[in-house]
Amino acid sequence: MMAKCPVCETEYTPNEVETCSVCGYDLTPYPPIIGGIPSGFLEKEKKRIAAAKRVWQLSQSQVESAQLMVSKVQSQLDEMTRKIDGFTQSQSQLESQIEAIASQLQSQSQAIASQLKSQNEAIASQLQSQNEAIASQSQSRLESQIEAIASQSQSRLESQIEAIASQSQSRLESQIEAIASQSQSRLESQIEAIASQLQSITEAVADTPIVSSSSGFDYTQLHRLLKSGQWKAADQETAKMMLAVAGKTQRGYLGENDIENFPCEDLRIIDGLWVKHSNGLFGFSVQKQIYINCGGKPDGSYPGDTIWYRFADEVGWRVGGSWLSSKDYTFSPGSAKRGHLPFTIRIDNWVYTDMYSSLAHRLVTCSI
């Protein structure tokens, strides 16, 4: 008979697997206990499973969000690639047109050379005939005639060459200028459009700095949520990251020892992001100062119910002597009390009292 994982609802065969293959939840059955499992333990186990399920659902939501963002960036890159391909195609067309013009110019040059050659041959033939006809005349007269004919022919040939070359050059320059003007205008428009898109993408990426600690934990998502005013999601992201840093993601909550050994660098990054984007309204360091002002001592010891209740009233976790449930917390800076957030690392009231005393102590040892 198949069973379902209480966290991600993946089916499994009881007594054949110890952990869930999808979320990693411990599926080892409880050993038989004489008299049954205490109800208090079962209630605590239900809370632990509910917390693990919330963490699992949150992680799945964030994975889907990340995949959507990657798909959007990929679409923008594909569009930019298509425009660049169009630019390359226009460049290829321009090169083909230039090659055609060069080929045309070469053909015209060859035609001119052929024409000149024919005219030279005709003149040479004429000179030869005249030379033979006047062979009997005096050498002086022959030379004068030859020089006159040669001078006339040379002048006529030069004039024809200049006229043909001038016409060809003028026509060729006009064609090149027209093609170059059209291509330049089209290329400039495409380049401006691509540059505009690149600038938009660059600005969007530059507006999302990578915030990470030396231990390799990335707080970019927390930075983005806080900057955009998504306070509830940022509170949940804070809880997720603190569990990950402490290595307690699977367990789903932090204990006193976890807080006392929490890396100062990561604690400083988390607190700094909250303080910065709330303009000093939220953050662990803000809560610590309120805790001290209420009489609490940051030495890791429980301050007593009176001081603890006073602190909870100051930050708005208690109203009229009653503790708020998670759904009743305020996620609006305009109506929330100073120090109200973050709060999601609290599992229940009696756990959080001892843990927050440890957190205040850890903030002092980390100089926060």
Side-chain angles (χ1 to χ4, degrees):
M1 179 176 182
M2 302 296 289
K4 289 186 176 181
C5 172
V7 175
C8 65
E9 299 186 354
T10 300
E11 291 189 345
Y12 71 96
T13 303
N15 299 320
E16 291 188 5
V17 295
E18 295 182 353
T19 58
C20 179
S21 62
V22 176
C23 67
Y25 184 75
D26 186 1
L27 300 175
T28 305
Y30 294 110
I33 298 176
I34 297 176
I37 299 175
S39 61
F41 179 82
L42 289 175
E43 183 63 25
K44 186 174 182 180
E45 182 65 12
K46 289 180 180 179
K47 292 181 179 180
R48 186 175 71 84
I49 292 174
K53 191 168 185 177
R54 287 195 299 273
V55 171
W56 168 255
Q57 293 172 346
L58 176 61
S59 67
Q60 292 302 106
S61 175
Q62 292 172 344
V63 167
E64 292 176 359
S65 177
Q67 290 175 344
L68 181 61
M69 182 178 294
V70 169
S71 177
K72 183 177 180 181
V73 172
Q74 185 62 46
S75 297
Q76 292 176 338
L77 290 176
D78 292 342
E79 179 65 20
M80 185 172 64
T81 301
R82 286 194 294 273
K83 291 184 179 295
I84 291 175
D85 290 341
F87 170 76
T88 303
Q89 185 177 3
S90 297
Q91 182 69 21
S92 177
Q93 292 176 352
L94 177 59
E95 291 176 354
S96 299
Q97 290 175 342
I98 292 175
E99 289 178 358
I101 293 171
S103 176
Q104 182 181 1
L105 178 59
Q106 184 178 3
S107 298
Q108 291 177 347
S109 298
Q110 291 175 350
I112 293 171
S114 178
Q115 184 179 0
L116 292 176
K117 182 178 180 181
S118 298
Q119 290 178 349
N120 285 333
E121 290 177 351
I123 293 170
S125 177
Q126 182 182 2
L127 291 175
Q128 181 66 27
S129 298
Q130 291 176 353
N131 188 50
E132 292 176 353
I134 62 175
S136 60
Q137 297 179 1
S138 62
Q139 184 67 27
S140 177
R141 183 179 177 184
L142 179 59
E143 290 177 356
S144 297
Q145 290 178 345
I146 292 174
E147 288 177 1
I149 294 172
S151 176
Q152 293 176 359
S153 299
Q154 182 66 26
S155 177
R156 186 167 59 252
L157 287 174
E158 289 176 355
S159 298
Q160 292 176 345
I161 291 172
E162 289 178 0
I164 295 172
S166 177
Q167 292 176 358
S168 299
Q169 181 68 21
S170 177
R171 186 165 57 252
L172 180 60
E173 289 177 354
S174 299
Q175 292 175 346
I176 291 175
E177 287 178 0
I179 294 172
S181 177
Q182 293 176 358
S183 299
Q184 182 68 21
S185 177
R186 186 164 57 253
L187 290 175
E188 288 177 355
S189 298
Q190 292 176 345
I191 290 172
E192 288 178 0
I194 293 172
S196 177
Q197 290 188 349
L198 285 174
Q199 183 178 0
S200 299
I201 294 173
T202 301
E203 290 175 354
V205 173
D207 193 43
T208 307
I210 298 177
V211 182
S212 59
S213 64
S214 58
S215 55
F217 290 96
D218 184 4
Y219 296 94
T220 302
Q221 176 69 355
L222 178 59
H223 168 84
R224 184 183 65 80
L225 292 172
L226 288 169
K227 184 176 181 180
S228 60
Q230 301 181 60
W231 304 104
K232 185 174 183 179
D235 194 63
Q236 295 170 346
E237 176 71 7
T238 298
K240 186 196 80 169
M241 292 302 300
M242 292 188 71
L243 290 172
V245 172
K248 302 302 178 183
T249 299
Q250 185 173 358
R251 191 176 71 183
Y253 66 92
L254 301 179
E256 293 182 53
N257 290 335
D258 301 323
I259 293 298
E260 288 291 347
N261 295 293
F262 200 88
C264 289
E265 181 185 8
D266 292 84
L267 191 59
R268 189 174 292 107
I269 291 174
I270 295 171
D271 178 66
L273 289 173
W274 273 97
V275 173
K276 174 183 177 182
H277 293 293
S278 67
N279 293 321
L281 182 64
F282 302 139
F284 292 136
S285 59
V286 177
Q287 294 173 351
K288 181 201 73 175
Q289 190 57 51
I290 297 173
Y291 177 74
I292 293 174
N293 293 342
C294 290
K297 298 185 181 298
D299 56 4
S301 62
Y302 179 55
D305 291 345
T306 300
I307 292 176
W308 176 246
Y309 293 159
R310 185 184 306 160
F311 167 73
D313 292 337
E314 285 295 321
V315 298
W317 294 348
R318 286 203 334 158
V319 176
S322 299
W323 291 93
L324 296 181
S325 62
S326 58
K327 65 182 179 64
D328 295 323
Y329 275 76
T330 303
F331 295 97
S332 172
S335 55
K337 285 191 174 183
R338 187 168 178 267
H340 190 67
L341 300 174
F343 80 94
T344 50
I345 56 172
R346 178 172 64 85
I347 302 304
D348 54 31
N349 297 330
W350 68 270
V351 172
Y352 195 67
T353 55
D354 292 338
M355 192 189 70
Y356 190 80
S357 301
S358 299
L359 178 59
H361 179 252
R362 186 56 177 165
L363 289 167
V364 172
T365 58
C366 291
S367 300
I368 300 175

mmCIF file of all heavy atoms in Angstrom, residues 325-348:
data_model
loop_
_atom_site.group_PDB
_atom_site.id
_atom_site.type_symbol
_atom_site.label_atom_id
_atom_site.label_comp_id
_atom_site.label_asym_id
_atom_site.label_seq_id
_atom_site.Cartn_x
_atom_site.Cartn_y
_atom_site.Cartn_z
ATOM 1 N N SER A 325 -1.280 35.966 15.614
ATOM 2 C CA SER A 325 -0.958 34.818 14.757
ATOM 3 C C SER A 325 -0.232 35.339 13.522
ATOM 4 O O SER A 325 -0.248 36.542 13.228
ATOM 5 C CB SER A 325 -2.241 34.091 14.344
ATOM 6 O OG SER A 325 -3.073 34.944 13.579
ATOM 7 N N SER A 326 0.408 34.437 12.786
ATOM 8 C CA SER A 326 1.226 34.854 11.646
ATOM 9 C C SER A 326 0.415 35.621 10.600
ATOM 10 O O SER A 326 0.929 36.526 9.947
ATOM 11 C CB SER A 326 1.884 33.636 10.998
ATOM 12 O OG SER A 326 0.890 32.712 10.572
ATOM 13 N N LYS A 327 -0.867 35.297 10.461
ATOM 14 C CA LYS A 327 -1.683 35.969 9.438
ATOM 15 C C LYS A 327 -2.063 37.392 9.823
ATOM 16 O O LYS A 327 -2.534 38.173 8.988
ATOM 17 C CB LYS A 327 -2.949 35.155 9.172
ATOM 18 C CG LYS A 327 -3.904 35.048 10.348
ATOM 19 C CD LYS A 327 -5.093 34.179 9.999
ATOM 20 C CE LYS A 327 -6.050 34.042 11.182
ATOM 21 N NZ LYS A 327 -6.649 35.315 11.560
ATOM 22 N N ASP A 328 -1.874 37.743 11.104
ATOM 23 C CA ASP A 328 -2.270 39.071 11.570
ATOM 24 C C ASP A 328 -1.112 40.061 11.627
ATOM 25 O O ASP A 328 -1.302 41.210 12.026
ATOM 26 C CB ASP A 328 -2.906 38.966 12.965
ATOM 27 C CG ASP A 328 -4.206 38.171 12.943
ATOM 28 O OD1 ASP A 328 -4.938 38.312 11.948
ATOM 29 O OD2 ASP A 328 -4.477 37.432 13.903
ATOM 30 N N TYR A 329 0.094 39.645 11.222
ATOM 31 C CA TYR A 329 1.224 40.574 11.264
ATOM 32 C C TYR A 329 1.078 41.645 10.184
ATOM 33 O O TYR A 329 0.425 41.432 9.158
ATOM 34 C CB TYR A 329 2.538 39.820 11.095
ATOM 35 C CG TYR A 329 3.047 39.265 12.411
ATOM 36 C CD1 TYR A 329 2.464 38.143 12.979
ATOM 37 C CD2 TYR A 329 4.086 39.883 13.088
ATOM 38 C CE1 TYR A 329 2.897 37.638 14.187
ATOM 39 C CE2 TYR A 329 4.536 39.378 14.302
ATOM 40 C CZ TYR A 329 3.939 38.261 14.852
ATOM 41 O OH TYR A 329 4.378 37.780 16.048
ATOM 42 N N THR A 330 1.679 42.801 10.421
ATOM 43 C CA THR A 330 1.555 43.949 9.525
ATOM 44 C C THR A 330 2.743 44.013 8.578
ATOM 45 O O THR A 330 3.886 44.016 9.016
ATOM 46 C CB THR A 330 1.485 45.263 10.328
ATOM 47 O OG1 THR A 330 0.379 45.175 11.229
ATOM 48 C CG2 THR A 330 1.285 46.450 9.401
ATOM 49 N N PHE A 331 2.474 44.078 7.264
ATOM 50 C CA PHE A 331 3.540 44.124 6.270
ATOM 51 C C PHE A 331 3.517 45.446 5.507
ATOM 52 O O PHE A 331 3.873 45.510 4.338
ATOM 53 C CB PHE A 331 3.408 42.946 5.303
ATOM 54 C CG PHE A 331 3.609 41.617 5.971
ATOM 55 C CD1 PHE A 331 2.520 40.865 6.388
ATOM 56 C CD2 PHE A 331 4.886 41.132 6.224
ATOM 57 C CE1 PHE A 331 2.704 39.650 7.015
ATOM 58 C CE2 PHE A 331 5.069 39.912 6.844
ATOM 59 C CZ PHE A 331 3.984 39.166 7.252
ATOM 60 N N SER A 332 3.109 46.500 6.192
ATOM 61 C CA SER A 332 3.080 47.829 5.596
ATOM 62 C C SER A 332 3.869 48.783 6.477
ATOM 63 O O SER A 332 3.518 48.971 7.651
ATOM 64 C CB SER A 332 1.639 48.317 5.445
ATOM 65 O OG SER A 332 1.619 49.672 5.028
ATOM 66 N N PRO A 333 4.962 49.382 5.960
ATOM 67 C CA PRO A 333 5.754 50.306 6.774
ATOM 68 C C PRO A 333 4.933 51.465 7.311
ATOM 69 O O PRO A 333 5.259 52.031 8.353
ATOM 70 C CB PRO A 333 6.836 50.787 5.792
ATOM 71 C CG PRO A 333 6.929 49.709 4.768
ATOM 72 C CD PRO A 333 5.531 49.183 4.623
ATOM 73 N N GLY A 334 3.837 51.822 6.622
ATOM 74 C CA GLY A 334 3.042 52.954 7.055
ATOM 75 C C GLY A 334 2.264 52.689 8.327
ATOM 76 O O GLY A 334 1.930 53.618 9.063
ATOM 77 N N SER A 335 1.944 51.403 8.599
ATOM 78 C CA SER A 335 1.129 51.088 9.769
ATOM 79 C C SER A 335 1.827 50.161 10.755
ATOM 80 O O SER A 335 1.309 49.928 11.846
ATOM 81 C CB SER A 335 -0.186 50.447 9.323
ATOM 82 O OG SER A 335 0.059 49.308 8.512
ATOM 83 N N ALA A 336 2.991 49.620 10.400
ATOM 84 C CA ALA A 336 3.718 48.706 11.294
ATOM 85 C C ALA A 336 4.518 49.489 12.322
ATOM 86 O O ALA A 336 4.997 50.584 12.068
ATOM 87 C CB ALA A 336 4.644 47.801 10.488
ATOM 88 N N LYS A 337 4.659 48.878 13.500
ATOM 89 C CA LYS A 337 5.485 49.496 14.539
ATOM 90 C C LYS A 337 6.964 49.288 14.230
ATOM 91 O O LYS A 337 7.347 48.368 13.508
ATOM 92 C CB LYS A 337 5.151 48.892 15.904
ATOM 93 C CG LYS A 337 3.834 49.375 16.482
ATOM 94 C CD LYS A 337 3.712 48.934 17.944
ATOM 95 C CE LYS A 337 2.477 49.533 18.584
ATOM 96 N NZ LYS A 337 2.380 49.180 20.018
ATOM 97 N N ARG A 338 7.784 50.140 14.820
ATOM 98 C CA ARG A 338 9.241 50.028 14.633
ATOM 99 C C ARG A 338 9.724 48.704 15.221
ATOM 100 O O ARG A 338 9.408 48.365 16.362
ATOM 101 C CB ARG A 338 9.942 51.206 15.318
ATOM 102 C CG ARG A 338 11.432 51.280 15.058
ATOM 103 C CD ARG A 338 11.989 52.614 15.527
ATOM 104 N NE ARG A 338 13.420 52.692 15.335
ATOM 105 C CZ ARG A 338 14.318 52.368 16.265
ATOM 106 N NH1 ARG A 338 13.901 51.977 17.472
ATOM 107 N NH2 ARG A 338 15.610 52.449 16.017
ATOM 108 N N GLY A 339 10.490 47.944 14.434
ATOM 109 C CA GLY A 339 11.005 46.656 14.876
ATOM 110 C C GLY A 339 10.044 45.507 14.666
ATOM 111 O O GLY A 339 10.311 44.386 15.091
ATOM 112 N N HIS A 340 8.917 45.737 13.980
ATOM 113 C CA HIS A 340 7.896 44.700 13.785
ATOM 114 C C HIS A 340 8.412 43.541 12.928
ATOM 115 O O HIS A 340 8.000 42.386 13.115
ATOM 116 C CB HIS A 340 6.675 45.337 13.115
ATOM 117 C CG HIS A 340 5.472 44.437 13.078
ATOM 118 N ND1 HIS A 340 4.794 44.044 14.214
ATOM 119 C CD2 HIS A 340 4.830 43.862 12.027
ATOM 120 C CE1 HIS A 340 3.787 43.258 13.868
ATOM 121 N NE2 HIS A 340 3.781 43.129 12.539
ATOM 122 N N LEU A 341 9.316 43.842 11.985
ATOM 123 C CA LEU A 341 9.870 42.817 11.088
ATOM 124 C C LEU A 341 11.387 42.800 11.197
ATOM 125 O O LEU A 341 11.989 43.813 11.549
ATOM 126 C CB LEU A 341 9.447 43.116 9.640
ATOM 127 C CG LEU A 341 7.940 43.137 9.343
ATOM 128 C CD1 LEU A 341 7.701 43.591 7.904
ATOM 129 C CD2 LEU A 341 7.313 41.777 9.576
ATOM 130 N N PRO A 342 12.024 41.662 10.881
ATOM 131 C CA PRO A 342 11.449 40.367 10.481
ATOM 132 C C PRO A 342 11.005 39.535 11.673
ATOM 133 O O PRO A 342 11.482 39.743 12.785
ATOM 134 C CB PRO A 342 12.615 39.679 9.752
ATOM 135 C CG PRO A 342 13.829 40.245 10.392
ATOM 136 C CD PRO A 342 13.497 41.676 10.759
ATOM 137 N N PHE A 343 10.110 38.529 11.427
ATOM 138 C CA PHE A 343 9.617 37.718 12.543
ATOM 139 C C PHE A 343 9.446 36.242 12.210
ATOM 140 O O PHE A 343 9.200 35.436 13.094
ATOM 141 C CB PHE A 343 8.267 38.265 13.018
ATOM 142 C CG PHE A 343 7.107 37.835 12.172
ATOM 143 C CD1 PHE A 343 6.344 36.722 12.500
ATOM 144 C CD2 PHE A 343 6.786 38.535 11.028
ATOM 145 C CE1 PHE A 343 5.279 36.332 11.705
ATOM 146 C CE2 PHE A 343 5.730 38.138 10.231
ATOM 147 C CZ PHE A 343 4.968 37.035 10.564
ATOM 148 N N THR A 344 9.595 35.809 10.952
ATOM 149 C CA THR A 344 9.216 34.444 10.568
ATOM 150 C C THR A 344 10.111 33.358 11.155
ATOM 151 O O THR A 344 9.759 32.191 11.084
ATOM 152 C CB THR A 344 9.233 34.289 9.036
ATOM 153 O OG1 THR A 344 10.466 34.781 8.526
ATOM 154 C CG2 THR A 344 8.086 35.004 8.409
ATOM 155 N N ILE A 345 11.275 33.713 11.734
ATOM 156 C CA ILE A 345 12.083 32.643 12.346
ATOM 157 C C ILE A 345 11.463 32.187 13.666
ATOM 158 O O ILE A 345 11.910 31.223 14.266
ATOM 159 C CB ILE A 345 13.539 33.102 12.579
ATOM 160 C CG1 ILE A 345 13.567 34.364 13.439
ATOM 161 C CG2 ILE A 345 14.253 33.324 11.289
ATOM 162 C CD1 ILE A 345 14.966 34.743 13.870
ATOM 163 N N ARG A 346 10.408 32.886 14.144
ATOM 164 C CA ARG A 346 9.711 32.476 15.370
ATOM 165 C C ARG A 346 8.854 31.251 15.068
ATOM 166 O O ARG A 346 8.014 31.271 14.185
ATOM 167 C CB ARG A 346 8.832 33.613 15.869
ATOM 168 C CG ARG A 346 8.022 33.248 17.118
ATOM 169 C CD ARG A 346 7.325 34.476 17.666
ATOM 170 N NE ARG A 346 6.349 34.974 16.726
ATOM 171 C CZ ARG A 346 5.095 34.532 16.634
ATOM 172 N NH1 ARG A 346 4.674 33.569 17.445
ATOM 173 N NH2 ARG A 346 4.262 35.043 15.762
ATOM 174 N N ILE A 347 9.051 30.153 15.835
ATOM 175 C CA ILE A 347 8.220 28.958 15.669
ATOM 176 C C ILE A 347 6.976 29.070 16.542
ATOM 177 O O ILE A 347 5.864 28.905 16.110
ATOM 178 C CB ILE A 347 9.015 27.686 16.017
ATOM 179 C CG1 ILE A 347 10.257 27.613 15.129
ATOM 180 C CG2 ILE A 347 8.149 26.434 15.836
ATOM 181 C CD1 ILE A 347 9.949 27.666 13.651
ATOM 182 N N ASP A 348 7.136 29.333 17.823
ATOM 183 C CA ASP A 348 6.018 29.694 18.695
ATOM 184 C C ASP A 348 6.595 30.529 19.842
ATOM 185 O O ASP A 348 7.811 30.689 19.963
ATOM 186 C CB ASP A 348 5.267 28.455 19.220
ATOM 187 C CG ASP A 348 6.208 27.455 19.901
ATOM 188 O OD1 ASP A 348 7.221 27.889 20.479
ATOM 189 O OD2 ASP A 348 5.919 26.265 19.844
#
